[in-house]
């Protein structure tokens, strides 16, 4: 079962524009190898990792750094220098349409609104931003102060993602969040009044909490009327304070049955509230899906900036990935360190399947071929007949049962492709 947030890596159109999809012959394995027609019209997203936090939450294994006096100006300058370096490597970045910007963290809402405005202006001077650009800011309710949300809106932010996690005071203390339930509610109300699109993050599967407790948190979240909800199950990572405590004295985490009940209850309640699951942990009212994340799940290209930010780029008939240094100080010293590394087509295909099948729309044959250079391998009958995958025309999507076992579904599909290759080869 999936618990974790993935990289925030968006797109408007269903298909990247560009040349056709030439098949250059069947390669050993059943997949067709072609070129990567990522033309100059292919859209991309921009992810900016702002790594500073006021305090480390007990469960956090994100790239987050607590600093007493974060150097906001220097970090903003380094981010634009980083972008200049990436454009020098791939000049097409300045020509293809950028359809989304996602400020993630860390706590991006620690950055003063004028630094966010400075960055957006810097991106506009260097990139081709589309007119109805989606710009998301992840926000911690504890950073809300009078007038700040409106200043972010004035800076250009049009989508706010609020890390609420729970409305229960004991949960918030256990997670070591800095806000209380009242601050969360006030932040949501102000955000809904100012931003056209607001998303909440909520977390379930906390130790000792039953189904009714989660239903109450979800009820309160849905009652706010926000258009988007991300609901994740707590994962206790060993290297976190919570993980170390769990090793010394095990927490009463939910068993598999309760985990399934929590997930199925989430789907049922959000559905009743008018939100549709478009990814296994993300739910939206019509028109409220996160364009940026959807683009990443569709295996689209995105630029990664900031400490620990990572990007993926398709050009020159190849897929490239790049990761920045995680330490803010290392990034500030040299924002150009992250080397571009090739992603082999077979690895790209696996990544495209894993991320695409997270979405309710599934994977689309032409899109996968355009973005990996390979066509989808034959689907084993056990996955179709077993009800784990559904094939509708050119789309293959996971069923709810398939979502619950997604890693295994993808492994079975790829192993089947390997067996076909071996028989042919
Ligand atoms: S606010 Fe988010 S990124 Fe920062 S420590 Fe807490 S969970 Fe980690």
């Amino acid at each position: 079962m999936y618990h974790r947030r993935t990289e925030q890596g968006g797109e408007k159109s269903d298909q990247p524009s560009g040349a056709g999809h030439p098949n250059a012959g069947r390669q050993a394995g059943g997949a067709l190898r072609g070129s990567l027609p990522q033309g100059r019209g292919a859209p991309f997203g921009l992810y900016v990792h702002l790594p500073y936090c006021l305090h480390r939450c007990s469960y956090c294994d994100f790239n987050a750094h607590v600093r007493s006096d974060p150097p906001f100006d220097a970090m903003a300058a380094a981010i634009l220098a980083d972008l200049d370096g990436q454009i020098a490597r791939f000049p097409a970045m300045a020509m293809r349409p950028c359809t989304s910007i996602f400020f993630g963290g860390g706590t991006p809402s620690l950055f003063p609104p004028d630094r966010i405005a400075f960055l957006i202006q810097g991106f506009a001077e260097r990139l081709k931003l589309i007119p109805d650009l989606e710009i998301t800011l992840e926000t911690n309710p504890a950073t809300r102060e009078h007038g700040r949300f409106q200043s972010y809106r004035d800076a250009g932010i049009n989508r706010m993602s609020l890390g609420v996690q729970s409305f229960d005071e004991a949960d918030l203390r256990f997670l070591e969040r800095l806000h209380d339930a009242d601050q969360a509610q006030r932040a949501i109300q102000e955000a809904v009044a100012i931003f056209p699109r607001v998303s909440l993050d909520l977390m379930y599967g906390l130790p000792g909490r039953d189904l009714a407790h989660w239903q109450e948190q979800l009820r309160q979240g849905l009652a706010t009327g926000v258009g988007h909800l991300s609901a994740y199950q707590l994962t206790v990572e060993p290297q976190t304070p919570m993980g170390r405590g769990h090793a010394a004295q095990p927490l009463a985490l939910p068993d598999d049955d309760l985990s399934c009940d929590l997930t199925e209850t989430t789907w049922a309640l959000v559905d009743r509230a008018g939100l549709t699951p478009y990814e296994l942990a993300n739910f939206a009212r019509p028109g409220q899906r996160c364009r940026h994340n959807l683009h990443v799940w569709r295996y689209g290209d995105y630029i990664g900036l900031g400490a620990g930010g990572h990007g993926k780029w398709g050009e020159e008939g190849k897929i490239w990935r790049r990761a920045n240094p995680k330490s803010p100080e290392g990034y500030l010293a040299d924002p150009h360190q992250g080397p571009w590394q090739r992603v082999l087509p077979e690895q790209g295909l696996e990544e495209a399947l894993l991320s695409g099948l997270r979405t309710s729309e599934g994977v689309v044959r032409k899109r996968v071929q355009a973005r990996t250079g390979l066509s989808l391998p034959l689907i084993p009958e056990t996955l179709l007949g077993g009800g784990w995958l559904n094939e509708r025309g050119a789309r293959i999507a996971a069923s709810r049962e398939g979502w619950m076992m997604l890693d295994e579904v993808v492994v079975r599909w790829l192993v089947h492709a390997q067996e076909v290759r071996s028989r042919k080869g």
Side-chain angles (χ1 to χ4, degrees):
M1 185 171 307
Y2 271 84
H3 305 159
R4 301 292 302 162
R5 175 194 295 274
T6 59
E7 60 196 329
Q8 320 293 320
E11 145 181 21
K12 280 187 73 65
S13 62
D14 273 357
Q15 297 289 338
S17 61
H21 310 283
N23 295 331
R26 188 174 292 276
Q27 65 170 4
L32 294 173
R33 187 183 290 278
S35 68
L36 280 172
Q38 291 278 40
R40 289 194 170 175
F44 69 90
L46 174 60
Y47 176 73
V48 187
H49 195 86
L50 302 178
Y52 301 115
C53 283
L54 290 168
H55 164 83
R56 188 145 198 122
C57 304
S58 60
Y59 61 97
C60 176
D61 76 330
F62 301 127
N63 185 42
H65 301 266
V66 178
R67 300 287 184 272
S68 55
D69 188 15
F72 298 120
D73 289 359
M75 182 56 79
I79 286 168
L80 292 183
D82 181 5
L83 178 57
D84 287 336
Q86 296 197 39
I87 293 173
R89 170 67 180 86
F90 291 114
M93 284 179 176
M95 291 173 259
R96 287 168 49 179
C98 174
T99 54
S100 59
I101 299 173
F102 195 107
F103 291 101
T107 303
S109 56
L110 277 181
F111 265 66
D114 72 333
R115 292 301 85 194
I116 296 293
F118 170 80
L119 282 172
I120 294 172
Q121 179 61 33
F123 301 149
E125 288 164 3
R126 292 161 172 81
L127 302 171
K128 198 169 137 192
L129 305 181
I130 66 164
D132 73 332
L133 185 72
E134 174 190 277
I135 314 182
T136 301
L137 183 81
E138 284 188 338
T139 305
N140 184 329
T143 60
R144 174 190 162 272
E145 54 191 54
H146 184 69
R148 196 172 178 93
F149 282 12
Q150 184 60 54
S151 298
Y152 286 129
R153 180 75 183 104
D154 295 342
I157 301 296
N158 53 25
R159 183 173 183 274
M160 178 165 273
S161 174
L162 278 162
V164 169
Q165 314 311 346
S166 177
F167 295 99
D168 180 276
E169 301 291 2
D171 287 355
L172 292 169
R173 282 195 299 275
F174 172 72
L175 296 170
E176 294 188 32
R177 300 292 297 186
L178 288 181
H179 63 274
D180 59 25
D182 185 51
Q183 280 176 304
Q185 287 288 5
R186 278 187 281 131
I188 296 167
Q189 284 169 18
E190 186 173 343
V192 167
I194 291 175
F195 296 94
R197 297 166 64 195
V198 177
S199 175
L200 298 187
D201 277 11
L202 292 178
M203 188 181 282
Y204 60 90
L206 274 58
R209 296 306 197 187
D210 61 13
L211 192 57
H213 180 80
W214 168 239
Q215 287 171 322
E216 174 56 21
Q217 306 315 306
L218 198 49
R219 186 196 65 72
Q220 290 192 45
L222 293 169
T224 63
V226 296
H228 189 281
L229 174 75
S230 299
Y232 296 92
Q233 183 164 350
L234 170 68
T235 304
V236 180
E237 299 291 350
Q239 70 279 16
T240 61
M242 186 183 288
R244 289 189 285 275
H246 180 53
Q249 186 167 358
L251 297 165
L253 295 170
D255 59 19
D256 285 351
D257 283 348
L258 179 55
S259 292
C260 284
D261 288 348
L262 288 163
T263 303
E264 285 170 4
T265 297
T266 305
W267 288 339
L269 290 183
V270 296
D271 189 49
R272 223 175 289 160
L275 281 76
T276 308
Y278 69 102
E279 192 264 353
L280 46 78
N282 284 276
F283 312 87
R285 297 187 197 283
Q288 298 271 329
R289 299 188 303 178
C290 178
R291 184 194 296 166
H292 185 83
N293 285 345
L294 202 49
H295 182 71
V296 173
W297 293 321
R298 288 171 172 167
Y299 210 55
D301 290 340
Y302 54 98
I303 296 174
L305 302 174
H310 51 95
K312 165 189 166 287
W313 196 254
E315 200 171 307
E316 304 162 351
K318 301 180 179 80
I319 307 168
W320 301 89
R321 277 199 184 277
R322 177 179 183 274
N324 278 329
K326 288 188 165 183
S327 131
E329 290 72 25
Y331 181 74
L332 287 168
D334 180 4
H336 307 293
Q337 294 172 55
W340 286 99
Q341 294 181 321
R342 271 289 303 279
V343 176
L344 295 176
E346 291 75 12
Q347 185 189 344
L349 181 65
E350 183 175 343
E351 292 174 355
L353 286 182
L354 264 172
S355 62
L357 289 174
R358 295 179 64 91
T359 65
S360 58
E361 68 183 21
V363 289
V364 183
R365 290 185 186 281
K366 275 189 176 177
R367 187 189 292 149
V368 169
Q369 176 147 3
R371 294 179 177 179
T372 68
L374 296 177
S375 63
L376 287 176
L378 287 174
I379 309 169
E381 187 49 41
T382 49
L383 293 180
L384 289 173
W388 289 11
L389 290 179
N390 300 312
E391 188 170 17
R392 291 187 298 273
R395 285 178 195 273
I396 296 104
S399 63
R400 295 257 167 121
E401 293 73 26
W403 263 357
M404 304 286 265
M405 308 288 291
L406 193 53
D407 281 334
E408 187 172 339
V409 169
V410 172
V411 166
R412 284 197 191 190
W413 193 349
L414 293 171
V415 166
H416 177 74
Q418 179 68 41
E419 288 169 355
V420 172
R421 273 203 293 276
S422 302
R423 283 201 295 273
K424 286 176 186 278

